[in-house]
Amino acid sequence: MELLLLRVPSTGAAAKCVDPPISQGLIAAAAQARGIRCEVLDLSFHGDDGIDLLLDAMNHRDLRVVGVSAYQTNIERCMQIARLVKGVRGDVKVILGGPQATHMPAIGLEAMPMVDGLCRGAGEHAMPQLLEALRAGCETVPGFLLRTTDGLIEVGVPVMLPQVDSLPSPFRIPLWPLDRYPLGVLFSNRGCPHNCAFCYTPAASGRRLSQRVKEGVLKDIVAMAKANVEHVFFADPVFLPSAHRPLQLLEDL
């Protein structure tokens, strides 16, 4: 295993969940498609056993990167996990992703010595590129703010939203037992073409909307239904960019 992706429960909350780690799953599926050995560890699901599983994962000789999705609700636990990882494996890079990392200024990374970098762009493209760069001995990767031997370096512009239909599905590999979670989560589109002041999604996606063809969405739902998942949540930032497509999808469902 070269890449380990973590879902960390919210600070102060019990470690429990009803939904799969969809963000980590999308990245892992894309990484595996590019020949990168990757696993997802859902600390929200495993509860008290999660730390033992994390420590076991640190024994993987080829482990290069631990990716952590950070939000306002779990940032304190993310820092605790980062300290643990660096204390056990100082050679492994800890990368912070998610909405808290996308637009965080460099001074934020300076204040987190246990974190090696911030992922600025779409993780499905950016994280595999980071692993491929590390294999080649390169310390700088577009789409990241990275701590290097020469200090903090950010190269180029963030890797923007990929075309979601060009990416593999975590539900059809699958990356976890589909019957583990009673609620399925998927995206029928990503990004947003609008510019609401309260939302970070337009800036993070370059105000682009990337839509999946409905056949791919239906295949994911069928895979979950066969595993007895009874409910599906569409995590789209904008489920109704137009009337025709969502209505057609719902009629097919």
Side-chain angles (χ1 to χ4, degrees), residues 117-199:
L118 304 176
C119 180
R120 303 297 208 186
E124 298 95 316
H125 281 180
M127 291 299 282
Q129 288 179 5
L130 174 64
L131 268 294
E132 290 167 352
L134 293 176
R135 286 175 176 177
C138 179
E139 285 192 302
T140 56
V141 185
F144 288 87
L145 173 66
L146 294 174
R147 193 185 307 277
T148 74
T149 53
D150 296 322
L152 300 184
I153 295 180
E154 188 161 13
V155 178
V157 297
V159 179
M160 302 310 291
L161 193 69
Q163 290 297 314
V164 291
D165 275 316
S166 66
L167 299 172
S169 166
F171 298 106
R172 284 176 267 154
I173 296 178
L175 286 165
W176 51 77
L178 294 186
D179 59 355
R180 172 184 290 177
Y181 305 96
L183 175 67
V185 179
L186 54 75
F187 291 94
S188 70
N189 64 60
R190 300 278 296 282
C192 180
H194 304 294
N195 197 29
C196 299
F198 59 81
C199 183

Side-chain angles (χ1 to χ4, degrees), residues 69-233:
S69 295
Y71 301 85
Q72 289 181 338
T73 57
N74 72 353
I75 186 69
E76 293 180 5
R77 275 188 175 158
C78 289
M79 296 302 96
Q80 293 172 344
I81 294 296
R83 290 189 189 94
L84 175 62
V85 171
K86 298 300 286 187
V88 176
R89 287 286 302 271
D91 60 312
V92 171
K93 292 188 179 297
V94 176
I95 302 297
L96 212 64
Q100 301 307 121
T102 303
H103 303 297
M104 185 182 294
I107 192 173
L109 183 57
E110 290 175 352
M112 299 184 294
M114 75 294 290
V115 175
D116 296 290
L118 304 176
C119 180
R120 303 297 208 186
E124 298 95 316
H125 281 180
M127 291 299 282
Q129 288 179 5
L130 174 64
L131 268 294
E132 290 167 352
L134 293 176
R135 286 175 176 177
C138 179
E139 285 192 302
T140 56
V141 185
F144 288 87
L145 173 66
L146 294 174
R147 193 185 307 277
T148 74
T149 53
D150 296 322
L152 300 184
I153 295 180
E154 188 161 13
V155 178
V157 297
V159 179
M160 302 310 291
L161 193 69
Q163 290 297 314
V164 291
D165 275 316
S166 66
L167 299 172
S169 166
F171 298 106
R172 284 176 267 154
I173 296 178
L175 286 165
W176 51 77
L178 294 186
D179 59 355
R180 172 184 290 177
Y181 305 96
L183 175 67
V185 179
L186 54 75
F187 291 94
S188 70
N189 64 60
R190 300 278 296 282
C192 180
H194 304 294
N195 197 29
C196 299
F198 59 81
C199 183
Y200 104 110
T201 299
S205 64
R207 297 183 68 181
R208 290 175 53 202
L209 182 71
S210 181
Q211 296 182 318
R212 297 180 64 187
V213 295
K214 66 174 183 175
E215 288 76 15
V217 177
L218 293 171
K219 285 180 181 178
D220 283 352
I221 295 175
V222 168
M224 286 186 274
K226 287 181 177 179
N228 297 319
V229 175
E230 295 184 352
H231 306 279
V232 175
F233 171 67

Side-chain angles (χ1 to χ4, degrees), residues 5 21-31 40 124 168-171 173 175-176:
L5 299 169
I22 181 62
S23 298
Q24 294 85 349
L26 290 168
I27 296 172
V40 174
E124 298 95 316
S169 166
F171 298 106
I173 296 178
L175 286 165
W176 51 77

